[in-house]
Amino acid sequence: MLLRVFGATLHVLDGVRVSVEVEAGAGLPAFHIVGQADRIVNESRDRIRAAFRHASLEFPPGRVTVNLAPTGLPKVGSALDLPIAVGVAGTRVELCEERLRGSLFLGELGLDGGLRPVRGVLAMLGAAEGSAIREVIVPSGNLFEASLSPRLAALGADDLGSVLRWLRDGEVLESPSPAPLRSGPTELALDLSDVHGQEN
């Protein structure tokens, strides 16, 4: 079975969309990640296996191959943990295809299946520009940063299981808190005269 999930990586300062293609088939048990993945991305194999065990998820019994496209671009960091894990899980359980096609997944997995914040979320959201992606799923610790994107609806999750239940059953994920309303004029407590050496 072949499944496609969207993630992102950083290339210098810009976010680049990554198509995470997962195929699970017959053969001896193996888990391979191809497509110029750095050491941290390759280490996700161990994090994902442990997260599956703690979340009582069934890992595919045969050969699992993950391709990170475009293959000519180096993939760095742990933000691809979540889309890879979602893709692997989707080969065993039925997930909503419409949500998979319209969502960007970012997040680092802990061994217990929890989601940890990652750096550069706002930059990586630029990877969704000009695409059909409407939502971004991030760790709860990145939710405020992700909500700063005016074009995407940001949703936060604490663990892999919550994301899979959202994809499978429509379970509600965390939404950003509304910005507090300010009443009356705001006063700045500091100005340039407070900066040392700026007396003039």
Side-chain angles (χ1 to χ4, degrees):
M1 180 178 183
L2 179 65
L3 201 76
R4 180 178 287 109
V5 182
F6 294 112
T9 189
L10 287 174
H11 182 60
V12 190
L13 297 177
D14 297 322
V16 179
R17 187 175 60 166
V18 176
S19 178
V20 179
E21 301 166 338
V22 181
E23 191 216 20
L28 294 174
F31 189 3
H32 299 289
I33 298 177
V34 298
Q36 284 209 59
D38 74 348
R39 180 179 55 84
I40 295 175
V41 176
N42 272 305
E43 288 172 351
S44 70
R45 294 175 297 183
D46 299 316
R47 293 191 292 272
I48 290 170
R49 281 188 182 276
F52 270 54
R53 284 194 298 272
H54 280 85
S56 299
L57 295 169
E58 184 181 357
F59 198 86
R63 182 184 180 90
V64 177
T65 303
V66 176
N67 180 46
L68 305 176
T71 55
L73 179 78
K75 319 302 185 303
V76 298
S78 58
L80 290 170
D81 283 9
L82 180 57
I84 293 173
V86 167
V88 173
T91 65
R92 304 298 294 169
V93 298
E94 188 173 347
L95 303 177
C96 176
E97 289 189 20
E98 183 180 353
R99 284 184 171 163
L100 282 176
R101 286 195 305 268
S103 302
L104 190 73
F105 297 87
L106 302 171
E108 176 184 325
L109 272 179
L111 298 184
D112 60 353
L115 287 175
R116 296 175 177 164
V118 292
R119 293 181 178 180
V121 164
L122 198 54
M124 284 189 278
L125 294 188
E129 291 296 328
S131 70
I133 292 173
R134 303 175 304 277
E135 295 170 312
V136 56
I137 315 304
V138 297
S140 295
N142 286 127
L143 185 55
F144 173 74
E145 183 181 0
S147 70
L148 298 177
S149 171
R151 208 181 70 78
L152 298 175
L155 297 173
D158 291 320
D159 52 52
L160 174 61
S162 299
V163 176
L164 296 178
R165 289 191 294 274
W166 175 74
L167 285 165
R168 188 179 58 221
D169 308 319
E171 180 178 297
V172 176
L173 293 179
E174 185 181 353
S175 297
S177 301
L181 295 175
R182 299 189 180 197
S183 57
T186 58
E187 294 184 8
L188 295 177
L190 300 174
D191 62 27
L192 288 178
S193 66
D194 296 313
V195 179
H196 182 70
Q198 298 292 322
E199 293 82 1
N200 292 333

